[in-house]
Amino acid sequence: MYAFELHHAKSVADASAMLAKTGGKALAGGQSLVAAMKLRLAQPGHVVDLSGIPELKGIRKEGDHLVIGAMARHADIASSAAVKGAIPALAALAEGIGDRQVRNMGTIGGSIANNDPAADWPAAVLALGATITTSKRKIAADDFFKGMFQTALADDEIIVSVSFPVPKKAAYAKFPNPASRFALVGVFVAQTGSGVRVAVTGASPSVFRCKPHEEALAKNWSAAAAKAVKMDAAHLSTDLHGSAAYRAHLVSVMAARAVEAAR
Ligand SMILES: Cc1cc2nc3c(=O)[nH]c(=O)nc-3n(C[C@H](O)[C@H](O)[C@H](O)COP(=O)(O)OP(=O)(O)OC[C@H]3O[C@@H](n4cnc5c(N)ncnc54)[C@H](O)[C@@H]3O)c2cc1C
């Protein structure tokens, strides 16, 4: 068994100080970190539990933004009246994550900090142009996701909340891996105050904005326009679940389904 020391932080400042001092890892729902530790892919000597920090909790509407605390569980978001009222696409996305246990434990903060190539939340955060508030600063979604399991976060930086501007229309569609429900390809489409934004997860090493679909949908917001886009497979992933060419095809199919579902 791996050896590590568990710390229970009581505030964001407390957690940041513990991470800086020990070089440890933050623990949210443990759905990715604990699995990585069991596989020895991560071997932190110190783990800082964020579950006792009130500042990281809660979901609230602030003007024309929906603010979701980093420790909000997927199940909390799926069932939140505030989320369903402001951005129902986020509640639907949360409901489609993993299984009941994963949704009851996993958090939005943990998901975007982890930036798994097939995770659902990064697509919503990027497509909606959300802002990530951390223990140090505010980071625009366009500057946050840096590559496979890579983000702009420093080692001792903690996500406090994610602020989503309420879009005119938005929806998410994914082709799930039948075993894990992770996205083989997931596409989030949004009509935002700054135009059409489309983000794709599952298709490449990290979530990305899909310019061909953004341009097509800005001209003609329709499922047919989304489906007609021929994606270049050159930078997409091939693995045992599907080829790059298959993923390229799925991007346009999922984009069309998302446009049809957008409210
Ligand atoms: C069987 C299974 C199926 C799954 N299916 C899906 C799916 O369909 N779609 C999907 O999107 N995901 C899926 N997941 C992943 C799940 O959504 C996890 O919730 C997510 O990957 C990590 O969230 P967590 O709260 O468990 O974070 P943890 O595992 O606790 O942490 C993950 C990483 O984020 C860091 N971290 C956590 N919180 C913060 C914070 N506030 N600030 C800074 N860093 C932080 C940790 O240090 C760690 O490096 C699945 C997981 C499992 C086990």
Side-chain angles (χ1 to χ4, degrees):
M1 188 64 180
Y2 39 80
F4 63 91
E5 206 172 314
L6 182 64
H7 308 265
H8 299 284
K10 296 284 175 236
S11 68
V12 170
D14 193 18
S16 302
M18 285 177 187
L19 290 175
K21 185 175 165 197
T22 64
K25 294 287 282 180
L27 175 70
Q31 297 301 291
S32 295
L33 180 60
V34 172
M37 289 169 69
K38 283 181 176 171
L39 293 167
R40 307 293 201 275
L41 295 171
Q43 293 183 288
H46 297 263
V47 171
V48 178
D49 175 19
L50 305 180
S51 65
I53 304 179
E55 299 141 271
L56 302 183
K57 295 182 181 164
I59 298 172
R60 61 192 182 276
K61 185 92 189 305
E62 282 183 5
D64 57 0
H65 284 67
L66 180 71
V67 181
I68 302 182
M71 283 298 288
R73 316 261 176 202
H74 310 317
D76 300 332
I77 300 169
S79 63
S80 160
V83 176
K84 288 180 184 172
I87 315 180
L90 297 183
L93 177 151
E95 185 62 39
I97 292 177
D99 52 35
R100 196 177 292 273
Q101 178 179 324
V102 170
R103 292 193 294 276
N104 281 336
M105 291 300 293
T107 67
I108 186 171
S111 177
I112 64 172
N114 199 45
N115 195 21
D116 187 298
D120 297 305
W121 282 119
V125 169
L126 191 57
L128 290 171
T131 301
I132 296 102
T133 298
T134 76
S135 48
K136 297 177 189 282
R137 57 196 163 137
K138 289 184 187 297
I139 309 174
D142 285 320
D143 301 324
F144 186 81
F145 301 104
K146 296 293 188 191
M148 186 186 274
F149 296 110
Q150 300 290 321
T151 69
L153 292 172
D155 289 345
D156 61 344
E157 190 168 12
I158 293 167
I159 299 172
V160 174
S161 62
V162 186
S163 176
F164 294 93
V166 175
K168 294 173 195 151
K169 286 184 176 186
Y172 178 64
K174 77 167 163 177
F175 191 88
N177 178 314
S180 68
R181 316 303 292 172
F182 271 110
L184 195 60
V185 166
V187 181
F188 200 107
V189 300
Q191 283 185 5
T192 74
S194 55
V196 172
R197 292 174 64 107
V198 177
V200 175
T201 188
S204 74
S206 180
V207 66
F208 64 93
R209 279 181 67 186
C210 190
K211 297 291 177 192
H213 283 91
E214 290 186 351
E215 285 166 13
L217 290 172
K219 284 188 205 133
N220 175 11
W221 179 266
S222 71
K227 207 165 181 179
V229 174
K230 299 279 177 243
M231 278 292 289
D232 182 357
H235 301 290
L236 303 188
S237 305
T238 290
D239 59 20
L240 77 169
H241 302 299
S243 65
Y246 181 54
R247 283 186 161 89
H249 173 72
L250 276 182
V251 171
S252 289
V253 174
M254 292 303 116
R257 286 187 193 173
V259 169
E260 268 168 14
R263 289 189 278 148

